[in-house]
Amino acid sequence: MRYYSCSTFRNKGASVCHANSIRADTAESFVAERLKEIVRAPQILEPLVRQLNEERLNQIQPLEQELAVIAIEQEELLAKIAKWEVVLEENPELVETLIERLKILRTRKSNDQRRENEILHFLKHKDQPIELKDVQTILQGIDAMLAGQEKKAIKELYRFFIKKITFDKETKDNIQMTMAFDEKMIAQLNQLYQETLSHSDRVFFVIQTAFELTI
């Protein structure tokens, strides 16, 4: 019997996370039925997409402030890295002492750069709202791809777009699914759709703005 387990439980064990799994067939049945429900009653999506767009607007100012903080930190990190590189060049005998320090600084710089790119990408598309029709098309296409598939294929498809599944730890009820879609994910779904349903090069899924949707 298969189960979905809490990522905290997998990484840190039962001492950190208890009541940490749910039967796979229960979770997968919920996902399938919830998708069908939304496809049959698209009005369910309207308030959800509206809320997502409101949340996007509320993120703009905090992200701009975070970007400014990252810029300052990047300057400080570059200065520190340059300083220790000079020290290392002039004192090669200190390599064992300084190399780890430089590694930490470069890792921080890399993480900052990654976060900066994420924020810049978001701000670049800040005026492009999440379109209801795009979300509907994505969910309709996924529902169509799930129809008639074997359990193994369904599991692989879920891994494409399901970010997390939450549930009441005691009763295993109140299940919620969070789906995440970005440009890379949409490209993968288009390829899978072509392989399983359309057998053509026509693009089925389109996305202007990356989003996460919890249902």
Side-chain angles (χ1 to χ4, degrees):
M1 188 173 294
R2 291 188 301 115
Y3 287 84
Y4 286 105
S5 298
C6 168
S7 59
T8 302
F9 169 73
R10 291 197 305 271
N11 295 332
K12 299 182 179 180
S15 62
V16 177
C17 180
H18 302 282
N20 40 56
S21 63
I22 185 172
R23 285 179 54 174
D25 56 353
T26 300
E28 290 168 1
S29 293
F30 164 79
V31 172
E33 290 304 314
R34 188 63 170 143
L35 284 172
K36 288 185 181 300
E37 180 183 357
I38 290 176
V39 168
R40 292 170 185 157
Q43 67 271 18
I44 295 174
L45 275 180
E46 293 180 20
L48 296 177
V49 173
R50 185 166 58 249
Q51 181 180 350
L52 287 178
N53 283 315
E54 290 172 356
E55 291 172 353
R56 282 176 55 78
L57 290 175
N58 293 333
Q59 290 179 47
I60 292 174
Q61 185 176 357
L63 287 176
E64 289 174 337
Q65 293 171 346
E66 183 181 352
L67 199 60
V69 171
I70 289 175
I72 294 171
E73 184 170 303
Q74 286 278 60
E75 287 185 13
E76 294 174 349
L77 288 170
L78 284 171
K80 290 178 180 178
I81 290 171
K83 170 189 171 183
W84 291 118
E85 284 177 340
V86 169
V87 172
L88 184 59
E89 185 177 350
E90 294 176 348
N91 304 273
E93 70 277 7
L94 298 177
V95 61
E96 291 186 6
T97 303
L98 298 180
I99 198 68
E100 187 62 29
R101 185 174 300 177
L102 277 167
K103 180 180 178 181
I104 292 171
L105 291 172
R106 287 168 179 158
T107 299
R108 285 176 57 191
K109 182 179 180 297
S110 176
N111 290 339
D112 276 356
Q113 186 65 60
R114 188 181 305 111
R115 179 57 179 161
E116 182 181 51
N117 291 339
E118 291 174 355
I119 295 173
L120 288 173
H121 184 271
F122 178 93
L123 295 176
K124 180 180 178 181
H125 298 87
K126 66 182 181 181
D127 295 325
Q128 297 178 345
I130 300 165
E131 297 290 346
L132 176 61
K133 60 180 178 58
D134 291 341
V135 180
Q136 289 174 329
T137 300
I138 290 169
L139 298 185
Q140 288 168 355
I142 290 173
D143 181 61
M145 284 191 288
L146 288 171
Q149 293 288 337
E150 298 291 333
K151 287 186 177 181
K152 182 177 180 181
I154 290 174
K155 179 183 177 182
E156 289 302 311
L157 179 56
Y158 285 164
R159 290 178 61 185
F160 271 116
F161 64 90
I162 295 180
K163 181 176 182 179
K164 64 181 179 181
I165 294 176
T166 60
F167 53 90
D168 185 288
K169 292 181 180 180
E170 301 299 327
T171 65
K172 311 298 182 182
D173 291 329
N174 300 323
I175 303 173
Q176 284 191 317
M177 165 181 58
T178 298
M179 301 175 287
F181 299 98
D182 56 22
E183 293 174 0
K184 180 180 178 181
M185 181 66 60
I186 291 302
Q188 292 174 323
L189 286 174
N190 271 313
Q191 180 179 350
L192 187 59
Y193 188 84
Q194 291 159 6
E195 292 172 354
T196 58
L197 292 180
S198 72
H199 306 293
S200 74
D201 294 330
R202 185 175 74 88
V203 172
F204 185 81
F205 304 103
V206 177
I207 188 173
Q208 299 296 327
T209 305
F211 67 92
E212 292 184 8
L213 180 67
T214 299
I215 57 174

